[in-house]
Amino acid sequence: MRRDRLLRWLLLALLVPFLVLIAVTLRRPAPRGEPPQALPPEARTRAEQIEVVHVEGQRASLNLVAERVEAAADGSLRLEGVQRLELAREAGPPLRVRAAEGGVTGAPGQHRLELRGGVELVDEARELLLTMDGVVVEEAAMQARSVGEVRFASGPYRGRARGVLYPLDAQPIVLEAPEIDDGHGGLVRAEVAQLAEGARAVRLEGHVRLERAGSWIEAERVELVRDETGRLREAVLEGRVQGAGRKPPTELEAQRLELAWDAQGQFLSARCLGKARVRQGKRRLAAERIEATRLRAGWSLEAAGGVDAAFDGVGEATGLEAEALAATFDLSGELRSGSATGQVRLRGRGLEGEAAQVRLEGSRAVLEADGALRARVAQGPFRVAAERITLERDGTWMTAERRVEATRLAWDAGGDWFADAGPVHFVAQRLEGEPRAGRVVFEGAVRAWQEERTLAAQRVSLDDPDTHLAADGQVRTRLPRSGGPVLGEQDFLEVQAAALDYDGRRAVAVYQGQVRLRVAEGWMEASYLELERGAEGAVRELRAADHVRFEFRAPAEDGLPVPVEGTGDRLRYDPATGWVELYGERVPAQVQRQGPAGERTEARVIRYQLQTGALDVAAGARVRTGSSPP
């Protein structure tokens, strides 16, 4: 992703160099000293091609050369063909003015100059030329103002204004309705422009608009500051700031925008304040404050206050909400690191999440909890909560750690270890896998339950598309015997083992390693047990093998339960009928009743009824009475 493109609108700030041409500065003459010299006698009535000089102290307050000068009795002058009029300034060379005609009235220090007809004003220090219909300078009021429209030029820049008003002291110069063309397709408009500090500080007000190459930005007020070399260093835009860039298409909104450049003219930073919003295609960032700062080898981006972002995606995520966001990018725009804090929410294609903090680390997003606010992600059929959840940027992998809680919604593939309807809940210390695809692994004190059906182990892996489940490490399961209503413990069976492997296509669960089955009537042990599932998750059949041993309690004639023990090579149990079939293939199967009248039965196949205690020798019978060993 090239998130630096979000800031391409900052290039609009390059329009402001037009300010170098607004350098009209009139300064108050030097303090009064000796009385001014009188005009030459020949100039008191009329003279041609004459230079007139008024001096105050050591400096000239009026210095002009005209083709014709007429002097009146009151000391006023009428001028024709003004070739040069120099207005002294406190700093820098004087301003030079040319005009077709004009007049001078008033005493030195109170001069009023009116020039008309193709007036040209030249500021040599700034290489600036202004032309206007006329200009009036009043020393007493300490100001000068133009008459009619003003046009100006400086290098490639061209512009015009409805009028110019500037003081002769240090007060700001004011341009009315300026419009400037930078010679490269850039255009600036405003209702008022004020220039202070020798035109180094500029303030534009009233529907300010800057345009260039199809891009534009608008504000109610714009303040700009240049350094001594004329380079733009600061720009502040306020009041309904909005803009749009063309390449790439970008939109900007804020109440205030602050920009800064270094002494070499390289862009340094931008701050958008007050309901700030930047949009570029599907990418969007909104906050009360957005700040971008140039680093030595990239960019940093910070946003705070109601952050709402849409981006190219972290995993399946395409949007983010938070109180604060910070990120760094390299010069090519690739994300290096980042973090979001304060009730962070992720949203996107097939994913929703929340956390106290989200850290972006290379190709991963890490969601972290803080106190009561846990990290949570909903992806595909899974809802996961943990102290830390890590998402890969390509959306194919998730890792959850510490106090993991997960819920898998109903899965309709059929043949699932759990029932096909209803959510399944998990707790564990760790989760890893692809929740969106239904393939995950739980580790560390895993517990799972769905209504009355439970599973516990140290490790449980699910593959929902293949309807496969595997568990190992102190495996313990609790299942209803049948698909009917569950009323009490007599309706369940529990199986413990070292490992469990369930094949949903065959609907067969295989338990191995120290298998122990518990039912209401007793228990059974073996090294191997197959559990075949039937309709609605009911247990259709159990098949045990390898060192089978059981102990059940059946009612005797007096109604009291009597223990019955058995051993064999294999065992088959049908929960629907309650019959247990015990097989002796290497050595005969044995069943022994306890008690004074107990007997032991040996045969190749022995059938035992759990509910009634009935015993049936199916094949190879050999019966021994009494409780003594053979």
Side-chain angles (χ1 to χ4, degrees):
M1 296 180 293
R2 297 183 176 273
R3 288 179 174 84
D4 64 332
R5 294 182 179 177
L6 289 172
L7 305 175
R8 293 290 180 85
W9 48 267
L10 296 175
L11 296 177
L12 294 171
L14 297 177
L15 297 175
V16 294
F18 76 90
L19 295 169
V20 299
L21 63 88
I22 307 176
V24 182
T25 307
L26 296 181
R27 297 297 186 184
R28 183 175 181 176
R32 296 181 182 181
E34 299 178 2
Q37 297 180 358
L39 290 175
E42 64 271 19
R44 292 176 181 171
T45 55
R46 175 179 295 179
E48 296 182 358
Q49 196 64 33
I50 190 170
E51 179 175 352
V52 179
V53 178
H54 282 191
V55 178
E56 288 187 85
Q58 302 299 317
R59 301 186 64 184
S61 65
L62 178 64
N63 189 338
L64 68 88
V65 175
E67 294 179 358
R68 177 174 298 180
V69 178
E70 293 184 2
D74 59 2
S76 62
L77 302 177
R78 179 177 178 278
L79 311 175
E80 295 182 8
V82 179
Q83 298 175 0
R84 184 185 70 212
L85 169 62
E86 292 185 354
L87 299 175
R89 295 185 293 181
E90 294 179 358
L95 291 176
R96 300 183 182 277
V97 184
R98 297 178 59 186
E101 59 182 7
V104 180
T105 60
Q110 302 291 320
H111 283 145
R112 174 185 172 88
L113 290 82
E114 296 185 20
L115 301 175
R116 300 173 297 277
V119 177
E120 293 183 356
L121 184 149
V122 178
D123 186 341
E124 294 180 349
R126 296 174 175 82
E127 299 180 353
L128 172 67
L129 171 65
L130 296 91
T131 60
M132 61 199 80
D133 294 337
V135 65
V136 176
V137 180
E138 297 182 2
E139 288 185 316
M142 303 301 295
Q143 69 178 15
R145 65 179 183 274
S146 64
V147 177
E149 185 178 80
V150 179
R151 295 184 177 275
F152 40 80
S154 178
Y157 298 95
R158 297 291 184 273
R160 62 183 180 181
R162 188 166 56 231
V164 176
L165 177 65
Y166 49 87
L168 301 181
D169 53 16
Q171 294 301 312
I173 302 168
V174 178
L175 289 85
E176 300 177 11
E179 181 178 307
I180 302 98
D181 185 340
D182 69 355
H184 299 283
L187 187 65
V188 180
R189 295 188 180 93
E191 292 183 359
V192 177
Q194 296 184 15
L195 288 75
E197 301 179 11
R200 286 170 52 192
V202 178
R203 181 181 179 89
L204 304 172
E205 294 184 334
H207 300 98
V208 183
R209 183 179 177 92
L210 299 88
E211 302 177 7
R212 187 172 192 179
S215 300
W216 58 272
I217 191 167
E218 293 181 341
E220 288 301 311
R221 295 172 299 281
V222 177
E223 294 187 5
L224 307 120
V225 177
R226 297 184 298 123
D227 59 19
E228 295 82 355
T229 66
R231 291 186 182 276
L232 184 65
R233 300 299 297 273
E234 299 177 12
V236 177
L237 295 82
E238 292 183 298
R240 298 176 59 187
V241 180
Q242 55 184 337
R246 190 179 68 174
K247 291 183 178 180
T250 306
E251 298 177 6
L252 163 72
E253 291 182 8
Q255 292 299 312
R256 180 182 175 92
L257 174 61
E258 301 174 359
L259 308 172
W261 292 260
D262 63 14
Q264 287 70 45
Q266 187 177 51
F267 180 73
L268 290 179
S269 66
R271 298 181 68 208
C272 301
L273 305 174
K275 298 180 180 180
R277 183 177 68 89
V278 180
R279 179 191 295 271
Q280 185 185 85
K282 295 182 179 181
R283 292 184 288 272
R284 183 186 71 253
L285 177 60
E288 282 300 309
R289 176 179 66 86
I290 301 174
E291 183 170 357
T293 304
R294 187 177 184 89
L295 305 176
R296 177 175 297 180
W299 291 87
S300 72
L301 177 67
E302 295 183 3
V307 177
D308 186 352
F311 42 88
D312 287 342
V314 176
E316 292 289 300
T318 57
L320 178 148
E321 297 177 18
E323 285 302 312
L325 172 67
T328 59
F329 306 89
D330 60 24
L331 292 176
S332 66
E334 290 297 324
L335 177 69
R336 294 194 302 194
S337 64
S339 66
T341 56
Q343 295 184 329
V344 185
R345 294 182 180 273
L346 293 174
R347 61 182 183 274
R349 301 178 296 270
L351 182 146
E352 293 184 2
E354 65 177 16
Q357 173 177 282
V358 174
R359 292 183 290 106
L360 305 177
E361 300 175 345
S363 64
R364 300 179 298 172
V366 181
L367 289 73
E368 294 187 332
D370 183 8
L373 184 58
R374 308 199 66 204
R376 301 178 185 273
V377 170
Q379 189 178 34
F382 278 86
R383 307 294 181 262
V384 180
E387 293 300 297
R388 176 185 296 163
I389 299 176
T390 302
L391 298 173
E392 295 297 329
R393 293 271 293 279
D394 59 6
T396 61
W397 203 258
M398 174 195 291
T399 302
E401 301 172 279
R402 300 199 306 271
R403 295 175 55 206
V404 177
E405 299 177 11
T407 297
R408 193 205 67 182
L409 303 181
W411 186 261
D412 58 2
D416 190 7
W417 166 257
F418 296 96
D420 295 340
V424 183
H425 307 283
F426 297 84
V427 294
Q429 288 302 309
R430 179 182 173 84
L431 175 152
E432 188 172 13
E434 303 175 79
R436 182 169 58 89
R439 295 185 174 94
V440 297
V441 176
F442 294 92
E443 295 178 333
V446 185
R447 301 290 184 271
W449 65 94
Q450 181 191 53
E451 297 179 349
E452 304 294 339
R453 187 177 282 102
T454 64
L455 166 65
Q458 289 302 309
R459 186 178 187 274
V460 175
S461 64
L462 295 178
D463 190 335
D464 285 336
D466 292 335
T467 60
H468 180 261
L469 178 146
D472 58 75
Q474 301 176 347
V475 177
R476 184 170 182 171
T477 62
R478 185 171 184 263
L479 302 170
R481 292 196 198 189
S482 64
V486 177
L487 303 177
E489 290 299 317
Q490 70 277 6
D491 298 314
F492 290 97
L493 59 83
E494 294 183 3
V495 182
Q496 300 178 30
L500 164 65
D501 190 275
Y502 176 72
D503 184 351
R505 292 188 174 92
R506 297 171 52 231
V508 172
V510 175
Y511 295 87
Q512 297 187 71
Q514 300 177 336
V515 181
R516 184 177 179 88
L517 168 70
R518 292 183 60 87
V519 292
E521 296 82 1
W523 53 265
M524 183 273 296
E525 292 179 346
S527 297
Y528 179 91
L529 174 66
E530 285 188 358
L531 185 153
E532 184 176 344
R533 299 282 297 278
E536 299 180 357
V539 178
R540 175 183 295 169
E541 187 175 270
L542 287 173
R543 297 180 291 272
D546 196 3
H547 305 294
V548 177
R549 188 167 68 94
F550 68 76
E551 180 180 310
F552 299 120
R553 294 181 180 271
E557 293 180 357
D558 58 4
L560 297 177
V562 176
V564 176
E565 297 179 355
T567 60
D569 296 321
R570 292 191 299 118
L571 179 146
R572 176 181 174 273
Y573 168 53
D574 183 353
T577 63
W579 281 102
V580 175
E581 294 181 351
L582 186 62
Y583 297 84
E585 295 167 339
R586 293 189 296 271
V587 297
Q590 299 181 23
V591 175
Q592 171 141 359
R593 294 183 185 275
Q594 303 297 320
E599 63 178 17
R600 182 173 66 245
T601 302
E602 294 182 355
R604 188 165 57 87
V605 180
I606 303 174
R607 300 178 73 234
Y608 177 75
Q609 208 340 294
L610 283 182
Q611 283 74 33
T612 66
L615 192 66
D616 178 21
V617 177
R622 185 171 64 165
V623 179
R624 292 177 180 267
T625 60
S627 58
S628 60

